[in-house]
Amino acid sequence: MDLVLGGFRPVAPVVLAPMAGVTNTAFRAMCRRFAPGLVYVNEMVMATAVVHRNPKTDRMMAFAPDEAPRSLQMYGSDPVMIGEAVRRVCAEGRVDHVDLNFGCPAAKVTRKGGGAAVPAKPKLLRAILRAAVGAADPYGVPVTAKFRIGLTPALHTHLSTGRVAEDEGLAAIALHARTAEQHYAGEADWTAIGELKAAVSTIPVLGNGDIWEAADATAMVAATGCDGVVVGRGCLGRPWLFRDLVHAFTGRPVPGPPLLGEVAEVMRDHAHLLVDHLGPGLALRDFRKHTSWYLTGYPVGGALRGRFAQVSTLDELDDLLAELDPGTALVPGGQRIRRGHTNGPIKVALPDGYLDRLDDDAVPDDADVMALSGG
Ligand SMILES: Cc1cc2nc3c(=O)[nH]c(=O)nc-3n(C[C@H](O)[C@H](O)[C@H](O)COP(=O)(O)O)c2cc1C
């Protein structure tokens, strides 16, 4: 089934996974340079923060003037708040697509029954989805959802979540093929993606988890029958992965990894875009994590890496980039070196007695959850 979001049909069935603290305007612009015409999802914003707007939320919801579609991920577990937040961003003409996050395993959220805990309560889940779709529909804005296999190996909810999403008129769904308990550890269980695809027949099902190279994406589609892929950590420090993915999906040879000289040019451009987005001080501090991802798999030495991790100005960055040997090649298998989150398993925090009754629709209190990182 083709992935279509509203009037947008991507050139390949590939979506940038929303990543808090990463997938801002600057990062998405770098990805688009390598592969225009895909779906690149913004950083997650809290529904409460969208309703009680502040300058930081406004900046997080920014899109480039030429960006299409403008995809925004929202988090919230109160149907009324989600409905209002979705209505506002749609009415203000800010977005072309809203994605909802039901995969967040952060203890401060699941402890109150939010995030990854919501799919365990199908009535609550349905109420949230209904509110979001009801608010977005009059504006023609498609709503999608991203979720995990379940809370624990004993409580798989991906199939019930998929069916509710289908019933409530979502445009597509994406499965991060891990439980909340797994967090980011081990391997994603792609068989769960195949199960979801078999259970949900009327909307596209996207697979997510452990796509490090373009060939992983086509392998996931072949193994599971999924309609497209969502790519997170594999593109950290590697925005060219999206070009590779387009090549793989359109039957063209996938280019080899860039030499370090090309990586340095991308780093410089990315840092400049980040300065435009965040201002110089914040941008360079934020860029430090990206330097470690860009240099992953290139033998540059710990001392130089350490200096990149402390960079504070664009001039300093230029000096450091000049010290890199542009002819350095990626070590064999360097693409597959894990980056971003790798930790887990975790003990999932839940409200007392949360799993005793799964048929209630009590609304979790996430009024004080204004900033989060995770999915
Ligand atoms: C730094 C970071 C931040 C993330 N933030 C979010 C988020 O805000 N919303 C979300 O749905 N998932 C979030 N995720 C999860 C990813 O979207 C994705 O589901 C996960 O990394 C698995 O895909 P991957 O193996 O391709 O990385 C985050 C992941 C990372 C590494």
Side-chain angles (χ1 to χ4, degrees):
M1 185 179 301
D2 287 351
L3 174 64
V4 182
L5 291 177
F8 182 78
R9 185 180 287 269
V11 296
V14 176
V15 176
L16 164 66
M19 287 183 279
V22 176
T23 61
N24 55 25
T25 341
F27 187 83
R28 299 193 310 276
M30 285 316 300
C31 298
R32 287 207 311 283
R33 267 193 210 180
F34 286 97
L38 300 179
V39 180
Y40 295 108
V41 186
N42 201 341
E43 296 182 90
M44 173 177 76
V45 292
M46 318 298 299
T48 38
V50 171
V51 173
H52 306 293
R53 208 63 70 73
N54 67 30
K56 185 171 177 220
T57 311
D58 271 332
R59 188 176 63 205
M60 285 175 77
M61 293 198 294
F63 290 94
D66 62 337
E67 203 166 343
R70 295 163 302 166
S71 293
L72 182 67
Q73 190 187 50
M74 271 194 212
Y75 168 84
S77 31
D78 174 348
V80 174
M81 191 59 84
I82 275 280
E84 180 55 16
V86 172
R87 190 194 62 75
R88 287 198 195 191
V89 293
C90 294
E92 290 166 10
R94 283 173 173 269
V95 298
D96 305 304
H97 161 219
V98 171
D99 183 53
L100 299 177
N101 181 2
F102 296 104
C104 182
K108 70 176 170 186
V109 170
T110 55
R111 191 182 292 126
K112 294 185 172 177
V118 170
K121 307 256 171 159
K123 276 192 189 162
L124 173 64
L125 175 75
R126 190 180 289 279
I128 297 171
L129 297 183
R130 190 166 292 178
V133 172
D137 244 8
Y139 302 94
V141 171
V143 176
T144 60
K146 179 165 171 288
F147 48 91
R148 289 183 178 239
I149 297 175
L151 281 168
T152 64
L155 189 62
H156 281 192
T157 50
H158 56 305
L159 304 185
S160 55
T161 302
R163 292 191 188 105
V164 173
E166 194 174 27
D167 268 8
E168 293 301 327
L170 267 71
I173 49 177
L175 180 65
H176 176 189
R178 285 187 174 81
T179 61
E181 184 178 281
Q182 273 179 289
H183 211 235
Y184 289 89
E187 305 287 313
D189 175 9
W190 288 1
T191 58
I193 299 170
E195 288 165 10
L196 183 61
K197 175 62 191 163
V200 170
S201 56
T202 61
I203 56 175
V205 172
L206 309 179
N208 171 231
D210 296 347
I211 291 174
W212 303 101
E213 299 181 75
D216 297 330
T218 45
M220 180 191 274
V221 170
T224 68
C226 68
D227 303 298
V229 297
V230 178
V231 178
R233 295 164 299 164
C235 71
L236 297 176
R238 300 173 60 232
W240 48 85
L241 177 58
F242 291 102
R243 171 203 58 200
D244 297 357
L245 287 159
V246 172
H247 279 234
F249 276 108
T250 52
R252 285 177 281 167
V254 173
L259 297 176
L260 194 51
E262 295 168 62
V263 176
E265 280 172 32
V266 173
M267 288 173 80
R268 185 177 295 116
D269 288 353
H270 185 171
H272 278 268
L273 287 167
L274 209 49
V275 168
D276 294 343
H277 180 57
L278 296 177
L282 201 54
L284 269 295
R285 245 176 293 143
D286 189 68
F287 193 64
R288 292 171 182 172
K289 63 182 184 246
H290 292 278
T291 67
S292 116
W293 294 330
Y294 277 115
L295 298 177
T296 297
Y298 290 92
V300 298
L304 188 51
R305 246 173 239 282
R307 286 163 60 210
F308 271 105
Q310 297 188 350
V311 67
S312 353
T313 66
L314 285 174
D315 287 343
E316 250 175 67
L317 180 66
D318 275 339
D319 292 344
L320 290 169
L321 293 174
E323 290 188 43
L324 297 174
D325 173 357
T328 307
L330 188 73
V331 297
Q335 298 95 323
R336 307 194 75 79
I337 299 176
R338 302 218 162 188
R339 64 244 3 252
H341 302 329
T342 52
N343 58 324
I346 57 164
K347 183 169 173 6
V348 180
L350 292 173
D352 280 346
Y354 187 72
L355 300 179
D356 297 347
R357 275 198 57 199
L358 297 180
D359 62 346
D360 72 298
D361 55 2
V363 173
D365 171 15
D366 57 14
D368 61 339
V369 182
M370 290 291 281
L372 264 185
S373 160

PDB file of all heavy atoms in Angstrom, residues 12 41 43 54 84 86 100 129 211 290 309-310 324 342 368:
ATOM      1  N   ALA A  12       9.949   8.030  -1.968  1.00  0.00           N
ATOM      2  CA  ALA A  12      10.186   6.661  -1.489  1.00  0.00           C
ATOM      3  C   ALA A  12       9.487   6.562  -0.130  1.00  0.00           C
ATOM      4  O   ALA A  12       9.313   7.576   0.544  1.00  0.00           O
ATOM      5  CB  ALA A  12      11.681   6.386  -1.369  1.00  0.00           C
ATOM      6  N   VAL A  41      10.093  14.282  10.088  1.00  0.00           N
ATOM      7  CA  VAL A  41       9.248  14.696  11.213  1.00  0.00           C
ATOM      8  C   VAL A  41      10.056  15.544  12.203  1.00  0.00           C
ATOM      9  O   VAL A  41      11.187  15.215  12.550  1.00  0.00           O
ATOM     10  CB  VAL A  41       8.637  13.469  11.938  1.00  0.00           C
ATOM     11  CG1 VAL A  41       7.655  13.923  13.013  1.00  0.00           C
ATOM     12  CG2 VAL A  41       7.950  12.545  10.932  1.00  0.00           C
ATOM     13  N   GLU A  43      10.877  17.647  15.831  1.00  0.00           N
ATOM     14  CA  GLU A  43      10.988  17.224  17.226  1.00  0.00           C
ATOM     15  C   GLU A  43       9.598  17.172  17.839  1.00  0.00           C
ATOM     16  O   GLU A  43       8.729  17.979  17.505  1.00  0.00           O
ATOM     17  CB  GLU A  43      11.742  18.279  18.027  1.00  0.00           C
ATOM     18  CG  GLU A  43      13.155  18.496  17.639  1.00  0.00           C
ATOM     19  CD  GLU A  43      13.763  19.533  18.566  1.00  0.00           C
ATOM     20  OE1 GLU A  43      14.296  19.135  19.604  1.00  0.00           O
ATOM     21  OE2 GLU A  43      13.690  20.721  18.248  1.00  0.00           O
ATOM     22  N   ASN A  54       4.896  29.145  24.429  1.00  0.00           N
ATOM     23  CA  ASN A  54       5.991  30.026  24.827  1.00  0.00           C
ATOM     24  C   ASN A  54       7.005  30.070  23.682  1.00  0.00           C
ATOM     25  O   ASN A  54       6.901  29.302  22.721  1.00  0.00           O
ATOM     26  CB  ASN A  54       6.604  29.583  26.170  1.00  0.00           C
ATOM     27  CG  ASN A  54       7.300  28.242  26.061  1.00  0.00           C
ATOM     28  OD1 ASN A  54       7.814  27.887  24.999  1.00  0.00           O
ATOM     29  ND2 ASN A  54       7.302  27.487  27.141  1.00  0.00           N
ATOM     30  N   GLU A  84      -7.320  20.078  21.429  1.00  0.00           N
ATOM     31  CA  GLU A  84      -7.141  21.523  21.338  1.00  0.00           C
ATOM     32  C   GLU A  84      -5.803  21.868  20.679  1.00  0.00           C
ATOM     33  O   GLU A  84      -5.712  22.780  19.846  1.00  0.00           O
ATOM     34  CB  GLU A  84      -7.237  22.145  22.750  1.00  0.00           C
ATOM     35  CG  GLU A  84      -7.078  23.650  22.802  1.00  0.00           C
ATOM     36  CD  GLU A  84      -8.044  24.426  21.885  1.00  0.00           C
ATOM     37  OE1 GLU A  84      -9.048  23.851  21.420  1.00  0.00           O
ATOM     38  OE2 GLU A  84      -7.747  25.613  21.616  1.00  0.00           O
ATOM     39  N   VAL A  86      -4.064  20.045  18.566  1.00  0.00           N
ATOM     40  CA  VAL A  86      -4.110  19.716  17.134  1.00  0.00           C
ATOM     41  C   VAL A  86      -4.948  20.761  16.398  1.00  0.00           C
ATOM     42  O   VAL A  86      -4.563  21.262  15.324  1.00  0.00           O
ATOM     43  CB  VAL A  86      -4.671  18.288  16.917  1.00  0.00           C
ATOM     44  CG1 VAL A  86      -4.913  18.024  15.434  1.00  0.00           C
ATOM     45  CG2 VAL A  86      -3.724  17.247  17.496  1.00  0.00           C
ATOM     46  N   LEU A 100       1.389  11.311  16.373  1.00  0.00           N
ATOM     47  CA  LEU A 100       1.202  11.219  17.829  1.00  0.00           C
ATOM     48  C   LEU A 100       2.132  10.154  18.386  1.00  0.00           C
ATOM     49  O   LEU A 100       2.286   9.074  17.800  1.00  0.00           O
ATOM     50  CB  LEU A 100      -0.251  10.863  18.154  1.00  0.00           C
ATOM     51  CG  LEU A 100      -1.303  11.865  17.678  1.00  0.00           C
ATOM     52  CD1 LEU A 100      -2.702  11.337  18.009  1.00  0.00           C
ATOM     53  CD2 LEU A 100      -1.106  13.240  18.317  1.00  0.00           C
ATOM     54  N   LEU A 129      -7.097   9.380  20.020  1.00  0.00           N
ATOM     55  CA  LEU A 129      -7.036   9.371  18.551  1.00  0.00           C
ATOM     56  C   LEU A 129      -8.260  10.059  17.952  1.00  0.00           C
ATOM     57  O   LEU A 129      -8.163  10.829  16.992  1.00  0.00           O
ATOM     58  CB  LEU A 129      -6.931   7.931  18.027  1.00  0.00           C
ATOM     59  CG  LEU A 129      -5.676   7.151  18.440  1.00  0.00           C
ATOM     60  CD1 LEU A 129      -5.677   5.767  17.793  1.00  0.00           C
ATOM     61  CD2 LEU A 129      -4.406   7.895  18.038  1.00  0.00           C
ATOM     62  N   ILE A 211      17.412   0.334  11.462  1.00  0.00           N
ATOM     63  CA  ILE A 211      17.815   0.522  10.061  1.00  0.00           C
ATOM     64  C   ILE A 211      19.075   1.386  10.097  1.00  0.00           C
ATOM     65  O   ILE A 211      19.013   2.581  10.378  1.00  0.00           O
ATOM     66  CB  ILE A 211      16.686   1.170   9.235  1.00  0.00           C
ATOM     67  CG1 ILE A 211      15.543   0.154   9.104  1.00  0.00           C
ATOM     68  CG2 ILE A 211      17.190   1.605   7.850  1.00  0.00           C
ATOM     69  CD1 ILE A 211      14.314   0.686   8.440  1.00  0.00           C
ATOM     70  N   HIS A 290      26.450  16.123  17.857  1.00  0.00           N
ATOM     71  CA  HIS A 290      26.481  15.757  16.429  1.00  0.00           C
ATOM     72  C   HIS A 290      27.911  15.475  15.979  1.00  0.00           C
ATOM     73  O   HIS A 290      28.128  14.628  15.125  1.00  0.00           O
ATOM     74  CB  HIS A 290      25.883  16.878  15.578  1.00  0.00           C
ATOM     75  CG  HIS A 290      24.408  17.066  15.770  1.00  0.00           C
ATOM     76  ND1 HIS A 290      23.469  16.297  15.136  1.00  0.00           N
ATOM     77  CD2 HIS A 290      23.714  17.935  16.551  1.00  0.00           C
ATOM     78  CE1 HIS A 290      22.250  16.683  15.511  1.00  0.00           C
ATOM     79  NE2 HIS A 290      22.378  17.675  16.370  1.00  0.00           N
ATOM     80  N   ALA A 309      34.207  17.757  21.088  1.00  0.00           N
ATOM     81  CA  ALA A 309      33.122  17.656  22.078  1.00  0.00           C
ATOM     82  C   ALA A 309      33.051  18.882  22.975  1.00  0.00           C
ATOM     83  O   ALA A 309      32.156  18.985  23.805  1.00  0.00           O
ATOM     84  CB  ALA A 309      33.310  16.399  22.916  1.00  0.00           C
ATOM     85  N   GLN A 310      34.005  19.807  22.784  1.00  0.00           N
ATOM     86  CA  GLN A 310      33.975  21.026  23.604  1.00  0.00           C
ATOM     87  C   GLN A 310      33.875  22.279  22.752  1.00  0.00           C
ATOM     88  O   GLN A 310      34.075  23.391  23.241  1.00  0.00           O
ATOM     89  CB  GLN A 310      35.247  21.103  24.430  1.00  0.00           C
ATOM     90  CG  GLN A 310      35.321  19.933  25.374  1.00  0.00           C
ATOM     91  CD  GLN A 310      36.455  20.044  26.358  1.00  0.00           C
ATOM     92  OE1 GLN A 310      37.311  20.884  26.246  1.00  0.00           O
ATOM     93  NE2 GLN A 310      36.421  19.170  27.341  1.00  0.00           N
ATOM     94  N   LEU A 324      41.269  17.624  10.291  1.00  0.00           N
ATOM     95  CA  LEU A 324      40.888  16.284   9.829  1.00  0.00           C
ATOM     96  C   LEU A 324      41.569  15.990   8.498  1.00  0.00           C
ATOM     97  O   LEU A 324      41.691  16.880   7.645  1.00  0.00           O
ATOM     98  CB  LEU A 324      39.359  16.207   9.635  1.00  0.00           C
ATOM     99  CG  LEU A 324      38.491  16.389  10.879  1.00  0.00           C
ATOM    100  CD1 LEU A 324      37.010  16.424  10.490  1.00  0.00           C
ATOM    101  CD2 LEU A 324      38.754  15.269  11.890  1.00  0.00           C
ATOM    102  N   THR A 342      21.258   3.647  23.382  1.00  0.00           N
ATOM    103  CA  THR A 342      21.495   2.200  23.278  1.00  0.00           C
ATOM    104  C   THR A 342      21.127   1.501  24.581  1.00  0.00           C
ATOM    105  O   THR A 342      21.270   0.298  24.688  1.00  0.00           O
ATOM    106  CB  THR A 342      22.989   1.906  23.011  1.00  0.00           C
ATOM    107  OG1 THR A 342      23.759   2.593  24.003  1.00  0.00           O
ATOM    108  CG2 THR A 342      23.436   2.350  21.647  1.00  0.00           C
ATOM    109  N   ASP A 368       2.019  18.575  34.223  1.00  0.00           N
ATOM    110  CA  ASP A 368       3.328  19.119  34.581  1.00  0.00           C
ATOM    111  C   ASP A 368       4.451  18.569  33.703  1.00  0.00           C
ATOM    112  O   ASP A 368       5.619  18.851  33.919  1.00  0.00           O
ATOM    113  CB  ASP A 368       3.633  18.852  36.066  1.00  0.00           C
ATOM    114  CG  ASP A 368       3.671  17.363  36.368  1.00  0.00           C
ATOM    115  OD1 ASP A 368       3.089  16.599  35.564  1.00  0.00           O
ATOM    116  OD2 ASP A 368       4.277  16.976  37.369  1.00  0.00           O
TER     117      ASP A 368
END
